[in-house]
């Protein structure tokens, strides 16, 4: 809640500055009255009519009195702003609730309320509030909507004061503002398994045994409450204290989502561009895999990840999962094109070892970049790539499709390296491609099994 006071009590206002502020707030009507009064006064001296001088003084003094009275009138009001919700997907609406409280002992005059809103969210909302009684409250609301993701400031809130005659208007502003976060669209995905994955994929959790045999046991010190049947006597004799076998440790399956943000890999801009589709696809996969219990990591072509992310990515249950998803959505809400031209930094990060599922959203690739991506599948338990077809994303609806020989060659290179690579045409549904990737992985696993047999 923010309090605001209008009047001459502000410390940084001098008398001369106050007069200038009051005169600057004169409306067209007030300036017209002042000009007419001055003109009448001059004519009275020229014509020698004292009655005209009194009329001129009345016309000139009226707007000045209104400006001074309005300037010296002090209202104490408090305002609150509430966003519902504060994080909204692109293309959806959010409602902003404003509440004004008169905390002074005097009623207010006519108030015009205006909230400063970025142009991408729509026109600036304006509301006219009638007289607010002492201790009274007024509530108004408006809607905002953006097709472009990002973080947009709302505020500061402005109040415009007017006198009853409409001679003067003064504007005062609150100092606080709020932020609306527009996140990428998230498309619900089918619960597929990507058949044939042997490493890093499962129902969301795997169990790793702490011992592979009697000689490979990894004991730990005895703790109060441990079952005595798990005491490892050989290690106890060796260390001179009670040692017990470690229990089976739960381990989450891991998934890395690679998002290609190179500026040269995409053409076009706007909510329907190829880059926005890739960002929305990465957000959909991140949320889907996190809800399935995976440890999820977001990686870009520059090798950067989400701030606060652990070595194995985000993981959690219940509220932790929601917090992790919110943090990743906030990161994707402001992600933009990078200045890089290659994918070597992302490859260096993946080469460090993360034998989980790798899902990549890639733009246009040249031969060198495709070779780098092909090598990424070596350290993954399964690799799925959604490669956007530049021939369909850059043309207009009535244009003839351009030859896609280069695009098909890049897909072939990735498939030969073990990727499940799918071409993404303009307007494609991620869920359909998601299920298609599962069918292709299942078919590849069946063919591999028959060959081994």
């Amino acid at each position: 809640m923010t309090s605001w006071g209008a009047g001459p009590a502000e410390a940084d206002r001098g008398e001369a500055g106050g007069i200038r502020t009051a005169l600057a707030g004169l409306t067209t009507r007030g300036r017209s009255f002042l000009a007419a009064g001055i003109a009448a006064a001059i004519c009275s001296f020229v014509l020698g009519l004292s009655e005209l001088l009194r009329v001129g003084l009345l016309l000139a003094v009226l707007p000045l009195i209104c400006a001074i009275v309005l300037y010296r009138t002090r209202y104490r009001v408090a305002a609150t702003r509430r966003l519902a919700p504060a994080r909204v997907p692109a293309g959806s609406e959010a409602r902003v609730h404003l509440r004004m409280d008169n905390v002074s002992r005097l009623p207010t005059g006519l108030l015009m309320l205006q909230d400063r809103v970025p142009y991408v969210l729509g026109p600036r909302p304006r509301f006219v509030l009638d007289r607010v009684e002492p201790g009274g409250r007024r509530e108004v609301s408006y809607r905002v909507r953006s097709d472009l993701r990002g973080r947009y400031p709302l505020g500061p809130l402005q109040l415009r004061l007017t006198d009853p005659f409409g001679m003067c208007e003064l504007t005062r502003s609150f100092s606080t503002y709020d932020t609306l976060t527009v996140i990428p669209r998230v498309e619900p995905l089918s619960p597929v398994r990507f058949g044939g994955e042997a490493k890093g994929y499962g129902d969301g959790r795997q169990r790793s045994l702490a011992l592979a045999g009697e000689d490979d046991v990894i004991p730990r010190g005895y703790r109060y409450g441990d079952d005595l049947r798990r005491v490892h006597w050989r290690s106890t004799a060796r260390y001179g204290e009670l040692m017990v076998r470690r229990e089976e440790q739960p381990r989450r399956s891991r998934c890395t989502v690679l998002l290609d943000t190179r500026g040269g890999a995409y053409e076009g801009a706007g909510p329907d561009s190829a880059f926005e589709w890739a960002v929305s696809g990465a957000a959909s996969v991140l949320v889907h895999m996190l809800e399935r219990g995976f440890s999820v990591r977001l990686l870009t072509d520059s090798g950067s990840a989400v701030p606060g992310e652990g070595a194995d990515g985000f993981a959690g249950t219940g509220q932790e999962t929601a917090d992790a998803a919110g943090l990743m959505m906030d990161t994707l809400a402001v992600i933009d094109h990078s200045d890089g031209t290659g994918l070597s930094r992302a490859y260096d990060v993946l080469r460090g070892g993360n034998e989980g599922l790798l899902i990549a959203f890639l733009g246009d690739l040249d031969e060198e970049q495709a070779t780098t991506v092909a090598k990424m599948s070596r350290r993954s338990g399964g690799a799925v790539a959604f490669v956007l077809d530049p021939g369909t994303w850059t043309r207009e609806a009535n244009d003839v499709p351009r030859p896609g020989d280069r695009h098909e060659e890049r897909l072939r290179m990735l498939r030969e390296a073990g990727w499940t690579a799918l071409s993404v045409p303009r307007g494609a549904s991620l869920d359909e491609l998601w299920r298609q990737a599962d069918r292709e992985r299942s078919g590849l696993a069946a063919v591999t099994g028959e060959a081994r047999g």
Side-chain angles (χ1 to χ4, degrees):
M1 179 177 292
T2 304
S3 297
W4 167 83
E10 297 183 12
D12 58 346
R13 280 207 300 255
E15 191 66 26
I19 295 176
R20 287 195 298 267
T21 302
L23 294 179
L26 290 176
T27 62
T28 302
R29 180 184 299 177
R31 295 175 187 272
S32 299
F33 268 65
L34 182 61
I38 295 175
I42 294 175
C43 291
S44 68
F45 283 107
V46 174
L47 301 177
L49 299 175
S50 58
E51 294 82 1
L52 186 60
L53 177 61
R54 288 193 291 268
V55 173
L57 291 177
L58 177 62
L59 293 176
V61 169
L62 180 60
L64 296 179
I65 293 177
C66 291
I68 294 174
V69 171
L70 182 65
Y71 183 78
R72 298 184 64 86
T73 300
R74 182 175 181 84
Y75 299 126
R76 291 192 59 82
V77 295
T80 57
R81 182 190 294 105
R82 179 172 58 88
L83 304 181
R87 184 188 292 119
V88 61
S92 300
E93 291 184 345
R95 183 169 288 275
V96 183
H97 300 270
L98 301 175
R99 193 183 76 180
M100 300 293 301
D101 295 277
N102 184 9
V103 296
S104 66
R105 297 181 179 180
L106 298 176
T108 67
L110 187 66
L111 302 177
M112 191 178 81
L113 191 65
Q114 176 179 282
D115 208 5
R116 302 185 66 177
V117 174
Y119 72 94
V120 296
L121 298 182
R124 289 187 176 182
R126 293 181 175 89
F127 306 94
V128 177
L129 303 180
D130 293 332
R131 176 179 177 274
V132 182
E133 65 279 4
R137 174 187 301 174
R138 298 291 186 271
E139 294 185 4
V140 294
S141 65
Y142 64 93
R143 293 177 296 179
V144 291
R145 179 181 181 274
S146 174
D147 292 328
L148 296 175
R149 55 187 176 79
R151 294 174 63 87
Y152 301 102
L154 299 179
L157 192 64
Q158 293 180 334
L159 287 180
R160 182 173 295 177
L161 309 176
T162 60
D163 65 280
F165 301 102
M167 298 288 181
C168 183
E169 290 182 352
L170 295 179
T171 301
R172 295 290 184 266
S173 297
F174 290 87
S175 59
T176 59
Y177 65 93
D178 293 284
T179 301
L180 175 67
T181 303
V182 181
I183 62 176
R185 296 184 182 92
V186 175
E187 181 177 350
L189 301 179
S190 302
V192 301
R193 185 178 175 80
F194 287 120
E197 301 301 338
K199 296 180 293 183
Y201 202 89
D203 294 331
R205 290 180 175 84
Q206 296 177 342
R207 303 192 70 85
S208 60
L209 293 179
L211 55 94
E214 184 67 21
D215 296 332
D216 298 326
V217 67
I218 304 177
R220 63 168 175 82
Y222 175 82
R223 298 172 185 169
Y224 179 79
D226 286 339
D227 191 350
L228 293 178
R229 290 175 296 180
R230 294 196 297 111
V231 174
H232 190 255
W233 298 108
R234 181 179 300 179
S235 299
T236 299
R238 180 185 303 174
Y239 294 104
E241 59 177 329
L242 281 178
M243 306 293 292
V244 297
R245 294 183 177 89
R246 293 182 184 270
E247 296 177 338
E248 294 180 350
Q249 300 295 327
R251 185 183 63 187
R252 286 178 176 269
S253 299
R254 291 173 290 185
C255 176
T256 299
V257 178
L258 172 62
L259 176 60
D260 183 7
T261 63
R262 295 172 297 122
Y266 304 92
E267 295 184 16
D272 297 328
S273 63
F275 181 66
E276 293 301 321
W277 191 97
V279 174
S280 177
S284 302
V285 172
L286 287 169
V287 172
H288 176 74
M289 302 305 287
L290 191 61
E291 290 176 348
R292 291 190 58 190
F294 277 71
S295 293
V296 180
R297 178 174 63 166
L298 174 63
L299 183 65
T300 64
D301 56 286
S302 60
S304 61
V306 180
E309 188 178 74
D312 293 333
F314 287 105
T317 57
Q319 186 61 36
E320 294 180 0
T321 299
D323 294 342
L327 185 57
M328 288 188 292
M329 291 301 103
D330 289 344
T331 301
L332 289 175
V334 296
I335 200 168
D336 202 355
H337 292 292
S338 66
D339 298 330
T341 58
L343 297 165
S344 57
R345 293 184 179 179
Y347 171 69
D348 293 337
V349 175
L350 294 173
R351 188 172 55 180
N354 181 26
E355 297 181 355
L357 183 66
L358 175 60
I359 300 177
F361 291 86
L362 305 171
D364 191 19
L365 301 173
D366 58 22
E367 185 175 358
E368 179 181 357
Q369 295 159 359
T371 303
T372 302
V373 175
K375 295 186 294 184
M376 293 180 182
S377 62
R378 300 175 184 175
R379 296 294 299 175
S380 66
V384 180
F386 299 96
V387 187
L388 280 76
D389 184 2
T392 60
W393 283 94
T394 56
R395 68 181 178 87
E396 298 295 335
N398 298 327
D399 293 344
V400 178
R402 297 184 299 179
D405 295 341
R406 172 180 168 179
H407 180 67
E408 293 298 330
E409 177 64 21
R410 303 297 179 256
L411 293 177
R412 185 187 61 81
M413 292 178 58
L414 298 183
R415 289 164 182 163
E416 291 179 352
W419 284 83
T420 300
L422 283 78
S423 176
V424 180
R426 186 184 184 91
S429 171
L430 177 61
D431 185 55
E432 294 180 0
L433 295 174
W434 185 255
R435 287 183 276 121
Q436 180 182 349
D438 177 56
R439 291 192 297 269
E440 293 191 11
R441 291 296 305 175
S442 300
L444 178 62
V447 172
T448 306
E450 292 178 0
R452 290 179 179 175

